[in-house]
Amino acid sequence: MHVADIVASPRRRAPMPGGPTAAVLTTAETSEQVAVVHVELSAGAVMPEHDHGASQIVLIPVAGSVELRHDGRVRTLTAGAAAAHIAVGERVGLANPGEEPASLVVVASPPAFARRLESWPPAGTD
């Protein structure tokens, strides 16, 4: 069994001004099948369109709401009300249009996407 402390886990910031932060909670060392990442988007933060490599992704908002952009459509994911599955190869963007921070649990399978986050600089160094 593996228990991760979200607050104590090291956070990394997407390499863009005001980008989201992420804490990898489970890695390939924890599981060969799945990674879990906690992502925070400050009010007004935007994550441009991107893909997740060889990983399928499930986005589960846990606080606030985020706009998920895909194929010219915008869908709002709100904590406790919606989750999204993103298939391999699909490109999406995220935005937090609210006035409060939003956070998501991201499940990636296989865990390859979480390894990409290791290249992000530590949060707090920007």
Side-chain angles (χ1 to χ4, degrees):
M1 181 168 89
H2 172 77
V3 176
D5 183 338
I6 294 172
V7 175
S9 295
R11 297 201 74 80
R12 299 196 170 272
R13 181 169 304 281
M16 64 193 65
T21 64
V24 178
L25 304 178
T26 63
T27 64
E29 290 75 33
T30 308
S31 169
E32 296 175 0
Q33 303 299 316
V34 65
V36 178
V37 180
H38 182 256
V39 175
E40 293 182 341
L41 289 98
S42 59
V46 174
M47 182 70 169
E49 185 178 277
H50 61 283
D51 68 55
H52 300 96
S55 298
Q56 298 181 65
I57 300 293
V58 176
L59 299 176
I60 306 164
V62 294
S65 64
V66 296
E67 291 179 347
L68 176 63
R69 300 169 192 278
H70 175 261
D71 277 346
R73 293 186 63 191
V74 176
R75 294 184 173 100
T76 301
L77 306 178
T78 303
H85 173 264
I86 302 163
V88 173
E90 288 186 304
R91 295 184 61 79
V92 297
L94 289 174
N96 176 0
E99 296 180 15
E100 299 293 326
S103 64
L104 305 151
V105 169
V106 177
V107 180
S109 179
F113 175 68
R115 283 188 223 110
R116 289 170 53 182
L117 302 179
E118 293 172 1
S119 69
W120 289 8
T125 61
D126 48 13

